[in-house]
Structures are given as structure tokens and as C-alpha cells.
Amino acid sequence: GAGVSQSPSNKVTEKGKDVELRCDPISGHTALYWYRQSLGQGLEFLIYFQGNSAPDKSGLPSDRFSAERTGGSVSTLTIQRTQQEDSAVYLCASSLAIAGGPLETQYFGPGTRLLVL
Amino acid sequence: AQKVTQAQTEISVVEKEDVTLDCVYETRDTTYYLFWYKQPPSGELVFLIRRNSFDEQNEISGRYSWNFQKSTSSFNFTITASQVVDSAVYFCALTVIQGAQKLVFGQGTRLTINP
């Protein structure tokens, strides 16, 4: 079946502009994660959505970052007033995990490579 | 808090050699899971294996094998008879069952297999 998809694959923007990154999880997966991969920080967790529960935003680096998940499926990560340090690969993952349930493996999309000039 | 250390930043070997990628982890939780992911040049993280803290049996899958030792908090990955297609960045990761089950990654090991 189809894996996790992300769009765009690449995004170049100017400092100060807003960007939106999209993630389509694997069909039926209830949990959705955003991670960021940068040269200086490695792979780091950003935000987690589980069904209709309030998201875990503990990894978001600043209030310029926000994310939403509509209808329990597609998710959009928004970065406002982008800065050069936001340049990174943004990875989305999904899993079958449910609240209080067993741990499930996360499957990753190809990522969006963001470059802020 | 959890932490994963992959001390080997880069490894380069000649095809057909065996190679071991090291992973050391830290956690105070008694129930946790360990993972290995492969990131080829295309960029996508590919799941390889997951292990829970109660299962210390080593695992073999074709040319890949994993050695989990709780006594040394290590979860090492060995590729036998390496091939050029094994060239990638390999990440070890840890998570606990509570909360978001977010993955905590090591810094990754870039493996290059030369023909």
C-alpha cells in the first residue's frame, strides 16, 4: 500500500516568509509525528497527533511553528516568519499507535527539504 | 530523559567486509523500545528492526544481525558481507511506551561500502 507522502519535496523561501509543509499519513494510521533533521541538531521530535486528542507540542522550537491535523488524516506544519536556522529536512511519520495501547512502529515519509535564504 | 549515542560518525569499508555499527542508550524507564532505521541517499528513513527491553534475544535477518545487551545498554548492528547498496546513514533510536512514544535518535553513522 501507499506509504507516507509529503509535499513539497523541496522548498526554497526567503527569510521572513511563511511556509506550509504537508503530510499524508498511511491510511488507517491514527498517530502522526513531525521531526526535523538538521546538520547541527540531528533528528529531533517536533509534534505528535493522536486521533482527536490534543497534540503533544513539546518539541516545537518556537511559537513560529504550528501544526494542525484535519479530519484525523492530513497534517500541515506551518512555519511563520522563517529564519535561516529553520533550514532543515522536515520528516513526517505515522503509526497505528492508539492512546494507552501498545507501541507501534513509526513509518517515515521522504521529507521536505526547506532552505531559507 | 532518554539519550542515544552513536559514537561512530563515519565508517568506510570495502565490499564483502563485515561491519558493526555501535549504539549505546540511556533511559531510566524499565520498558523501552530500540530501533534501527536506514537513511539511503534518497532521504527516506527505512525501518529495519525494533526490540523491546524484555527481549534480549539477538536477531538475524539475512546479512543483518542485531546484538542487544542490557548489561552494557547497547544495541549494536552488524552487516555481514557488506554490499555497495548498504551505503547509507544508519540511525539507532529509543522510545518509551508512555506518552507520545516519540523517537529519540542517535546522531547517525554514515556507512560507505566501496566496491
Side-chain angles (χ1 to χ4, degrees):
Chain A
V4 178
S5 61
Q6 293 185 245
S7 60
S9 302
N10 294 280
K11 176 72 176 179
V12 180
T13 190
E14 293 179 351
K15 178 181 172 181
K17 295 284 179 69
D18 297 352
V19 295
E20 285 189 353
L21 312 180
R22 177 187 167 106
C23 171
D24 277 280
I26 294 172
S27 178
H29 279 196
T30 53
L32 187 147
Y33 302 78
W34 284 97
Y35 292 85
R36 178 169 71 173
Q37 185 174 19
S38 57
L39 281 176
Q41 302 297 323
L43 267 159
E44 52 183 349
F45 164 80
L46 296 177
I47 189 168
Y48 159 68
F49 293 92
Q50 174 52 265
N52 295 319
S53 303
D56 179 338
K57 306 178 184 179
S58 59
L60 294 179
S62 78
D63 58 9
R64 296 185 295 103
F65 287 72
S66 63
E68 62 178 21
R69 188 178 184 193
T70 53
S73 181
V74 171
S75 177
T76 302
L77 177 68
T78 301
I79 309 174
Q80 295 178 310
R81 304 181 303 282
T82 52
Q83 304 294 312
Q84 288 181 332
E85 61 262 29
D86 299 334
S87 297
V89 177
Y90 290 82
L91 291 162
C92 177
S94 70
S95 81
L96 286 167
I98 58 174
L103 183 132
E104 298 286 345
T105 298
Q106 295 176 35
Y107 296 92
F108 285 79
T112 293
R113 188 175 300 274
L114 175 65
L115 177 62
V116 182
L117 301 176
Chain B
Q2 290 80 39
K3 183 179 179 182
V4 176
T5 302
Q6 294 179 255
Q8 304 150 308
T9 306
E10 294 191 31
I11 299 175
S12 181
V13 300
V14 177
E15 198 172 20
K16 297 182 184 174
E17 285 186 16
D18 299 348
V19 58
T20 295
L21 310 181
D22 297 334
C23 172
V24 175
Y25 62 92
E26 296 176 30
T27 180
R28 291 186 177 183
D29 288 77
T30 55
T31 303
Y32 53 89
Y33 289 76
L34 296 161
F35 297 79
W36 277 95
Y37 283 87
K38 174 182 180 180
Q39 188 175 43
S42 61
E44 188 166 344
L45 279 168
V46 178
F47 166 73
L48 295 178
I49 190 172
R50 113 182 175 197
R51 217 80 189 122
N52 74 57
S53 52
F54 299 110
D55 183 1
E56 285 193 73
Q57 270 195 320
N58 293 330
E59 180 152 342
I60 298 174
S61 176
R63 297 184 296 105
Y64 295 172
S65 62
W66 291 269
N67 185 334
F68 176 28
Q69 291 195 343
K70 287 177 74 170
S71 61
T72 55
S73 297
S74 65
F75 186 43
N76 297 337
F77 172 30
T78 297
I79 301 175
T80 303
S82 60
Q83 299 177 2
V84 173
V85 293
D86 296 327
S87 297
V89 180
Y90 290 86
F91 290 93
C92 181
L94 167 74
T95 190
V96 297
I97 200 164
Q98 289 81 21
Q101 298 182 0
K102 60 187 177 185
L103 291 167
V104 174
F105 287 90
Q107 291 298 315
T109 297
R110 181 176 299 278
L111 176 64
T112 302
I113 311 297
N114 299 299

